[in-house]
């Protein structure tokens, strides 16, 4: 089928041409990024930046997918198997098999702080036991609970949520602490500090490494600087961190200097305004003219015309007397 000149190839439009992965194609679908390697298709976890993907990483995802769900053990209360699976938001647990009778089995996220390959049965049971009920809220007697979702641990009361900084908090937090958190106004979730590099030689302020959505990054004041690919955060010295911070500040300064490109504004064809209609002063409705008085019919003259005399019919002519015919006798 020949495509029209201006028709967009939908399949080509999905390809992300950011990285060079031999034998693999990275695409974006309605549920996030995914990679096509030969006949296999695997989802790219949301917490992995496309630029950080390697062929080794993708091949590992393919192997995990082909291997299928891994059974960690059985849940003590029901005896159902506990499966370890991997999805769009990373590894997660599933209690029991998905069947026609059990279309939505219970699931639970595996926190980033836990290596799924080292996940014990005890920890899996604890994760599947979430949400953990802490007690009832004193204001309305509604439940207050903690759980771990796709975006991390949280405490919940009705539609009021607060994020927890540490995954392990879901197993240790009590009702009193949870109520204190829920009573505070919502704020931006503070990032977890993974490593302290050292102090700035001039200001004495700490230079830290925080846990970001796309991996660890260096934080100093209001400046966030990425850690070069292949470099471990423990290997970054104060001197190297200062270099990365300066590079980032220079980039930020250049962005500010560049004048924003003025958008070519199409001159709108100014429609000629139609001349305002002269609103004629409303004429007062003309007073209805009085109907002219009917002229009185002229008075008939008393003298009435004599009807014309009837003409006398002409006198009938006297018919001539009939002659008597006398028959002759022979």
């Amino acid at each position: 089928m020949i495509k029209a000149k201006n028709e967009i190839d939908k399949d080509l439009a999905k390809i992300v041409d950011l990285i060079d992965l031999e034998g693999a194609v990275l695409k974006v679908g309605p549920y996030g990024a995914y990679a096509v390697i030969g006949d296999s298709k695997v989802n790219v976890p949301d917490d992995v930046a496309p630029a950080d993907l390697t062929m080794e990483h993708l091949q590992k995802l393919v192997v995990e997918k082909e291997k299928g769900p891994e059974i960690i053990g059985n849940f003590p209360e029901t005896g159902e198997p506990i499966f370890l699976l991997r999805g769009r938001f990373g590894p997660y647990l599933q209690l029991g098999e998905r069947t026609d009778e059990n279309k939505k089995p219970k699931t639970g996220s595996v926190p980033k702080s836990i290596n799924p390959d080292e996940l014990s049965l005890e920890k899996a049971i604890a994760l599947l036991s979430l949400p953990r009920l802490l007690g009832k809220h004193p204001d309305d007697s509604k439940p207050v609970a903690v759980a771990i979702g796709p975006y991390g641990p949280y405490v919940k009361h009705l539609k009021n949520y607060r994020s927890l900084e540490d995954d392990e908090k879901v197993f240790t937090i009590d009702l009193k602490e949870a109520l204190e958190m829920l009573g505070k106004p919502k704020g931006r979730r503070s990032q977890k500090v993974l490593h302290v590099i050292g102090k700035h030689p001039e200001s004495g302020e700490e230079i830290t490494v925080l846990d970001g959505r796309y991996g660890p990054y260096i934080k100093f004041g209001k400046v966030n600087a990425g850690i070069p690919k292949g470099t471990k955060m423990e290997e970054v010295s104060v001197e190297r961190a200062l270099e990365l911070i300066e590079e980032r500040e220079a980039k930020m300064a250049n962005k500010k200097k560049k004048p924003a490109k003025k958008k070519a504004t199409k001159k709108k064809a100014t429609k000629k305004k139609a001349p305002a209609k002269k609103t004629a002063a409303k004429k007062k409705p003309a007073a209805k003219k009085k109907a002219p008085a009917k002229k009185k019919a002229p008075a008939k003259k008393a003298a009435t015309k004599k009807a014309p005399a009837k003409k006398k019919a002409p006198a009938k002519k006297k018919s001539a007397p009939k002659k008597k015919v006398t028959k002759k006798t022979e």
Side-chain angles (χ1 to χ4, degrees):
M1 183 179 173
I2 300 169
K3 291 188 176 182
K5 257 186 181 181
N6 298 330
E7 191 175 341
I8 296 170
D9 190 320
K10 291 180 182 178
D11 196 49
L12 285 174
K14 293 177 184 178
I15 296 174
V16 181
D17 192 18
L18 296 176
I19 48 178
D20 185 20
L21 296 172
E22 192 178 345
V25 179
L26 186 67
K27 295 185 177 183
V28 177
Y31 302 107
Y34 65 93
V36 180
I37 307 169
D39 297 330
S40 299
K41 186 171 83 171
V42 290
N43 292 321
V44 176
D46 273 13
D47 59 350
V48 177
D52 293 339
L53 279 173
T54 62
M55 200 61 197
E56 185 183 353
H57 191 179
L58 290 177
Q59 284 170 345
K60 186 182 176 183
L61 291 172
V62 172
V63 170
E64 287 171 351
K65 184 182 177 182
E66 291 175 350
K67 188 170 60 174
E70 180 185 341
I71 298 176
I72 296 175
N74 295 323
F75 200 75
E77 294 176 12
T78 61
E80 293 175 288
I82 298 172
F83 296 102
L84 174 64
L85 301 97
R86 284 168 175 81
R88 178 186 169 193
F89 297 105
Y92 67 97
L93 298 166
Q94 179 178 300
L95 182 59
E97 294 183 10
R98 193 183 296 274
T99 62
D100 291 337
E101 293 77 25
N102 187 23
K103 291 182 179 179
K104 290 185 178 181
K106 186 173 183 178
T107 59
S109 300
V110 176
K112 292 179 185 178
S113 58
I114 298 174
N115 184 347
D117 297 327
E118 298 173 1
L119 184 63
S120 65
L121 177 59
E122 184 184 357
K123 184 61 77 175
I125 292 168
L127 290 169
L128 282 170
S129 298
L130 296 173
R132 183 168 73 92
L133 182 64
L134 302 179
K136 293 181 178 180
H137 200 287
D139 293 345
D140 54 15
S141 299
K142 299 294 181 183
V144 177
V146 286
I148 297 176
Y151 301 106
Y154 62 90
V155 57
K156 175 191 174 185
H157 168 247
L158 297 177
K159 292 184 179 180
N160 192 8
Y161 294 82
R162 293 293 183 277
S163 296
L164 298 172
E165 292 182 7
D166 189 1
D167 297 324
E168 288 298 319
K169 266 281 187 185
V170 293
F171 304 112
T172 59
I173 192 172
D174 58 15
L175 179 61
K176 184 182 176 182
E177 191 177 352
L179 291 173
E180 286 176 5
M181 289 186 69
L182 290 166
K184 292 177 182 177
K186 283 185 179 180
R188 192 176 175 182
R189 186 184 175 189
S190 57
Q191 299 293 331
K192 185 179 178 181
V193 177
L194 300 176
H195 176 63
V196 178
I197 297 173
K199 292 185 178 182
H200 195 282
E202 294 176 7
S203 65
E205 191 178 345
E206 279 190 342
I207 302 171
T208 56
V209 177
L210 301 184
D211 184 18
R213 183 179 179 184
Y214 298 115
Y217 65 93
I218 297 168
K219 175 78 173 175
F220 174 69
K222 293 183 179 180
V223 182
N224 299 333
I227 296 175
K229 194 177 175 182
T231 305
K232 293 181 180 178
M233 58 183 174
E234 293 84 6
E235 296 173 356
V236 180
S237 63
V238 173
E239 290 75 20
R240 179 61 179 142
L242 290 172
E243 288 175 7
L244 294 169
I245 289 164
E246 285 175 8
E247 287 173 12
R248 180 61 183 159
E249 284 177 331
K251 283 182 182 179
M252 289 166 70
N254 287 335
K255 280 184 181 179
K256 286 180 181 178
K257 285 179 183 178
K258 284 182 183 178
K261 289 183 180 178
K262 289 183 179 179
K263 290 183 181 178
T265 53
K266 290 182 181 179
K267 288 185 179 179
K268 291 183 180 178
T270 52
K271 291 182 181 178
K272 290 183 179 179
K273 289 184 179 179
K277 290 181 181 178
K278 291 181 181 179
T279 52
K282 289 184 181 178
K283 291 181 179 178
K284 290 183 180 178
K288 288 183 181 178
K289 291 181 180 179
K290 289 182 181 178
K294 288 183 182 178
K295 290 181 180 179
K296 288 182 181 179
K300 289 181 181 178
K301 289 181 182 179
T304 55
K305 286 182 181 180
K306 290 181 181 178
K310 289 183 180 179
K311 287 181 181 181
K312 289 181 180 179
K316 288 181 180 179
K317 289 180 181 181
K318 289 182 180 179
S319 55
K322 288 181 180 180
K323 289 181 181 181
K324 288 182 181 178
V325 178
T326 57
K327 286 182 179 181
K328 288 180 180 183
T329 57
E330 289 182 1

